[in-house]
């Protein structure tokens, strides 16, 4: 329901766009995202690299960094709520606002979704423009097709705190493992003891010698993606940044569902196709 239909004191209606800058500097910026940045009155930036922020400042004269709102010992949720409020303050003042976020603004990003929700609830025009995410880079750099065996994605702490069902016949992608188990939302990293709790949980479905991949995509064109392979048992004992993602490849083969196959054959599928033929691909 619209609650703020009147224009601002300057007679203009504010609007909001949250756009994704992609992961690698310059090469991932889509034309529509660039247009939103260039046409904005003010640009707010939540980016992972100071060099990327400097590059963005060349595109617009009024780029305001959101990074200073972070502080050690301060809840990240409080920071994210402040991000929403500072963006909405400019929207309510009748300005065209663009929030620029690294990767995809809707992937593992609370503030863009919330800012758009608030803006629309108050009657303002709000739009999200997608970007290339770390997940997209992961598929390309690791050569993974999520449609081959299936792919589950979990935020690591959420996997610990809730009852979730893991399928070891598909890929398992765990995000923010470097922060796993931080219940306060005030820390920028947790340690080996927290990651050991995660390993204990995963060992219910994977042998401790199962190989996993620690991945970090490149953020600058001169960089290469970082790819480390290690055994599950060793995960607590290696350095791990919050930006790194953990991937567990399938541990067991896909198990045929004989009952479903029989039902499909009864519907007229007289010849059973191999999985590669039965699943549409391009």
């Amino acid at each position: 329901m619209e609650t703020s239909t009147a224009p601002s004191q300057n007679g203009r209606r504010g609007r909001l766009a949250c756009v994704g800058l992609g992961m690698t500097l310059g090469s991932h910026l889509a034309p529509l995202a660039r247009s939103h940045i260039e046409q904005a009155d003010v640009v707010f930036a939540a980016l992972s690299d100071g060099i990327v922020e400097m590059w963005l400042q060349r595109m617009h004269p009024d780029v305001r960094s959101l990074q200073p709102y972070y502080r050690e010992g301060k809840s990240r949720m409080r920071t994210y709520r402040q991000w929403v409020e500072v963006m909405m303050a400019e929207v309510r003042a009748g300005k065209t606002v663009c929030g620029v976020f690294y990767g995809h603004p809707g992937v593992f990003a609370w503030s863009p979704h919330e800012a758009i929700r608030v803006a629309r609830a108050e009657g303002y025009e709000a739009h999200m423009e997608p970007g290339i995410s770390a997940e997209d880079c992961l598929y390309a750099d690791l050569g993974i097709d999520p449609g081959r065996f299936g792919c589950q994605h979990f935020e690591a702490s959420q996997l610990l705190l809730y009852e979730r069902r893991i399928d070891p016949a598909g890929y398992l992608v765990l995000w923010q493992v470097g922060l796993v188990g931080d219940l306060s939302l005030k820390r920028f990293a947790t340690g080996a003891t927290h990651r050991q709790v995660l390993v204990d949980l995963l060992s219910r479905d994977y042998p401790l010698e199962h190989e996993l991949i620690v991945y970090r995509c490149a953020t600058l064109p001169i960089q290469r993606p970082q790819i480390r392979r290690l055994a599950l048992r060793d995960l607590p004992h290696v350095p791990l940044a919050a930006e790194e993602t953990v991937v567990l490849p399938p541990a067991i083969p896909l198990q045929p569902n004989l009952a479903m196959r029989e039902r499909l054959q009864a519907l007229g599928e007289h010849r059973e196709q191999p999985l590669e033929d039965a699943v549409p691909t391009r």
Side-chain angles (χ1 to χ4, degrees), residues 191-231:
T193 54
H194 289 78
R195 292 202 295 276
Q196 184 61 55
V197 176
L198 177 63
V199 169
D200 292 344
L201 175 69
L202 294 173
S203 66
R204 301 175 186 175
D205 296 287
Y206 299 89
L208 288 173
E209 62 271 16
H210 186 68
E211 183 181 77
L212 57 78
I213 304 165
V214 178
Y215 169 80
R216 183 174 184 173
C217 65
T219 57
L220 300 176
I222 60 173
Q223 295 176 338
R224 299 282 296 172
Q226 299 177 22
I227 300 171
R228 294 182 285 161
R229 299 178 186 272
L230 58 140

Side-chain angles (χ1 to χ4, degrees), residues 4-37:
S4 181
T5 56
S8 66
Q9 291 182 353
N10 61 19
R12 296 178 56 192
R13 289 285 297 145
R15 63 178 60 186
L16 172 68
C18 291
V19 308
L21 204 62
M23 297 305 300
T24 304
L25 173 63
S27 60
H28 288 174
L29 180 62
L32 278 176
R34 177 185 289 273
S35 177
H36 281 294
I37 294 168

Side-chain angles (χ1 to χ4, degrees), residues 77-211:
M77 185 52 65
R78 182 183 172 197
T79 295
Y80 301 152
R81 292 186 187 281
Q82 289 176 324
W83 289 5
V84 173
E85 186 54 37
V86 295
M87 287 190 288
M88 283 304 304
E90 298 297 333
V91 172
R92 294 173 185 131
K95 295 182 180 179
T96 298
V97 177
C98 184
V100 181
F101 299 82
Y102 69 89
H104 189 303
V107 177
F108 285 90
W110 182 87
S111 298
H113 283 292
E114 179 64 8
I116 288 174
R117 184 195 68 79
V118 171
R120 289 174 177 171
E122 296 183 11
Y124 298 104
E125 180 182 338
H127 171 75
M128 179 177 287
E129 188 62 34
I132 294 176
S133 68
E135 176 186 350
D136 301 314
C137 298
L138 181 150
Y139 293 144
D141 292 334
L142 300 184
I144 292 174
D145 181 351
R148 186 178 181 191
F149 300 115
C151 189
Q152 292 180 298
H153 292 259
F154 293 110
E155 198 277 334
S157 292
Q158 186 189 87
L159 183 63
L160 291 182
L161 296 172
Y162 295 90
E163 294 288 345
R164 308 303 300 265
R165 182 177 297 176
I166 294 174
D167 177 12
Y171 288 96
L172 177 65
V173 182
L174 300 178
W175 299 88
Q176 299 180 331
V177 175
L179 294 170
V180 68
D182 175 25
L183 302 180
S184 69
L185 298 180
K186 296 180 179 180
R187 303 173 65 175
F188 291 98
T190 53
T193 54
H194 289 78
R195 292 202 295 276
Q196 184 61 55
V197 176
L198 177 63
V199 169
D200 292 344
L201 175 69
L202 294 173
S203 66
R204 301 175 186 175
D205 296 287
Y206 299 89
L208 288 173
E209 62 271 16
H210 186 68
E211 183 181 77

